[in-house]
Amino acid sequence: MKKKALALALALCMVLSMLPVSIFAAQPQAVPFRANDAVGFDALPEAPAELNGEYWITMSKTGPGIIHSNPRDSANAGDEVLLMVNPDPGYTVYVDDHGLNLEFLYLGGNRYLFIMPACDVTLDFYFEALEGPSYSLDVNAAEDVVWYFMDAVTSAKEGESVILFLEEREYYTFDPETDVTANCEDFFYLGMEGEERHVYELFMPAHDVTISINTTPQAVRHYIDVEVNNWSWGGAS
């Protein structure tokens, strides 16, 4: 009886060893970013000079969100690969790299970076709804300050990434690193996007958040053209 049971156990082990490894793969693991890994846009890599690399990059997604990579289809081993992984509001993202255990550096603003290994890379992203209550977002700033949230959100759930854009104007000034604050720990200045837009990110805590923008008004010179008897003068007010 014991011999028959042992033989059956050995046969079962042989059958299991022949099954595809993916059957035993763990559930998709959360993209490994932490708030204090938001290193800012200065760490963004330059576009690679050669897009036709030696190894393929294949990506898929399930659920509401956007994914994009640069380079898009292939890269050489050792190349920096930039990912844009943007969940819809109220969602978070998980990734399955099929056992490669890639190390993702979080740059902020839903941008990630990894180093291309010496093999093809397949990334499957899963966007899943966050659970729990939503907390409100508010901004305390002068009426003429131009700011807005990505996706025009007014609330977010705990742990959700929220992006704030703040534009420069000639009629006010501010220090982007010290004059913009929030009543939460995980609030970061990521840098400039373009010539006039500053980008900030916070990871929503389990309470309402108020962002304070302290600006200094600036006098603006208005030029007035006056024409008298076919003569023109230009003045400033």
Side-chain angles (χ1 to χ4, degrees):
M1 190 64 160
K2 290 183 178 180
K3 290 183 177 180
K4 184 180 291 187
L6 180 60
L8 182 60
L10 290 173
L12 179 60
C13 288
M14 291 180 63
V15 171
L16 292 176
S17 66
M18 296 172 64
L19 292 175
V21 175
S22 59
I23 292 179
F24 300 99
Q27 294 297 316
Q29 298 297 305
V31 172
F33 76 84
R34 297 190 304 273
N36 58 8
D37 286 336
V39 296
F41 288 168
D42 290 342
L44 290 176
E46 296 181 359
E50 179 59 59
L51 296 181
N52 297 320
E54 187 175 354
Y55 300 102
W56 291 103
I57 301 170
T58 304
M59 301 195 303
S60 69
K61 76 179 185 75
T62 301
I66 298 172
I67 59 174
H68 176 74
S69 71
N70 181 23
R72 181 175 179 180
D73 298 317
S74 61
N76 293 302
D79 283 353
E80 294 177 327
V81 179
L82 178 67
L83 299 176
M84 169 66 79
V85 184
N86 188 19
D88 279 9
Y91 283 77
T92 188
V93 61
Y94 297 80
V95 63
D96 183 3
D97 66 1
H98 297 268
L100 291 179
N101 295 320
L102 297 172
E103 294 186 3
F104 297 95
L105 173 65
Y106 187 58
L107 304 179
N110 298 315
R111 292 169 169 88
Y112 301 80
L113 182 72
F114 73 90
I115 303 301
M116 189 70 180
C119 63
D120 296 339
V121 169
T122 298
L123 299 174
D124 297 325
F125 293 93
Y126 300 85
F127 296 97
E128 298 185 2
L130 287 165
E131 298 181 355
S134 294
Y135 300 95
S136 66
L137 292 160
D138 191 21
V139 174
N140 182 16
E143 291 185 1
D144 59 355
V145 175
V146 181
W147 60 268
Y148 48 94
F149 289 112
M150 178 181 286
D151 298 319
V153 297
T154 58
S155 63
K157 296 186 177 182
E158 183 180 2
E160 188 173 354
S161 168
V162 177
I163 306 297
L164 171 73
F165 299 106
L166 174 58
E167 296 193 357
E168 292 189 351
R169 289 291 188 269
E170 63 178 356
Y171 46 83
Y172 59 79
T173 62
F174 61 94
D175 186 321
E177 296 188 8
T178 60
D179 286 337
V180 184
T181 58
N183 62 333
C184 62
E185 293 183 359
D186 298 331
F187 180 70
F188 304 94
Y189 174 56
L190 299 180
M192 292 285 290
E193 192 171 71
E195 296 182 355
E196 297 182 345
R197 187 166 76 168
H198 298 270
V199 185
Y200 299 83
E201 181 171 24
L202 68 89
F203 293 88
M204 199 68 182
H207 59 76
D208 297 339
V209 168
T210 298
I211 299 172
S212 299
I213 303 173
N214 182 27
T215 55
T216 302
Q218 298 294 302
V220 179
R221 296 175 65 87
H222 300 283
Y223 287 88
I224 303 173
D225 290 329
V226 179
E227 183 174 343
V228 179
N229 295 330
N230 296 325
W231 290 87
S232 296
W233 289 270
S237 63

